[in-house]
């Protein structure tokens, strides 16, 4: 059986993004406004205030880190500024009740795929 190559990064490589709160620098890729992939490096894990403050939850995936809200906002802001390309090319979604451009989904967080 052959392994199929993952070509997603050929069209849109990971881009360095720094958290505006703690300075943790990760590699990020936005496939769409709703989907973000984050690659954490050891130094970013150590710097991230929310990651250091988190504690395991119950259940089989309890040790998984749910994500950092400050970093999520920094990644979203980088995409809004155009520093991080949104791969599907869709325009920034707007909500007339919450017009703030850095929060395309004010009712919920992005779906974040986290790689430690």
């Amino acid at each position: 059986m052959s392994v199929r190559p993952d070509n997603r990064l050929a069209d849109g490589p990971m881009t360095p993004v720094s958290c505006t709160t703690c300075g943790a620098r990760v590699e990020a890729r936005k496939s769409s406004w709703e989907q973000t992939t984050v690659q954490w490096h050891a130094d970013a894990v150590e710097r991230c205030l929310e990651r250091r403050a988190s504690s395991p939850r119950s259940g089989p995936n309890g040790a998984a880190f749910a994500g950092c809200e400050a970093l999520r906002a920094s990644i979203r802001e980088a995409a809004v500024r155009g520093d991080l390309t949104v791969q599907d090319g869709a325009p920034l979604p707007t909500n007339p009740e919450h017009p703030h451009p850095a929060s395309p989904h004010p009712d919920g967080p992005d779906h974040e795929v986290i790689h430690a």
Side-chain angles (χ1 to χ4, degrees), residues 1-115:
M1 179 169 103
S2 65
V3 176
R4 186 178 69 171
D6 183 352
N7 296 323
R8 290 175 293 177
L9 297 179
D11 292 339
M14 302 289 274
T15 301
V17 177
S18 294
C19 178
T20 57
T21 299
C22 70
R25 186 177 169 118
V26 300
E27 303 287 324
R29 180 180 188 274
K30 285 203 68 64
S31 297
S32 68
W33 287 104
E34 294 80 22
Q35 201 280 326
T36 303
T37 301
V38 176
Q39 176 68 53
W40 288 83
H41 302 288
D43 57 329
V45 170
E46 292 298 318
R47 289 191 78 147
C48 178
L49 302 173
E50 290 184 43
R51 191 164 186 145
R52 287 194 334 237
S54 69
S55 57
R57 300 177 315 265
S58 62
N61 294 321
F65 177 61
C68 173
E69 290 299 321
L71 180 61
R72 187 175 285 122
S74 297
I75 291 170
R76 196 167 29 241
E77 289 168 14
V80 168
R81 284 191 315 268
D83 296 339
L84 178 62
T85 301
V86 179
Q87 298 302 312
D88 72 0
L92 176 68
T94 58
N95 180 339
E97 294 181 25
H98 294 304
H100 191 279
S103 299
H105 298 286
D107 297 325
D110 287 21
H111 299 290
E112 184 175 341
V113 178
I114 301 170
H115 300 280

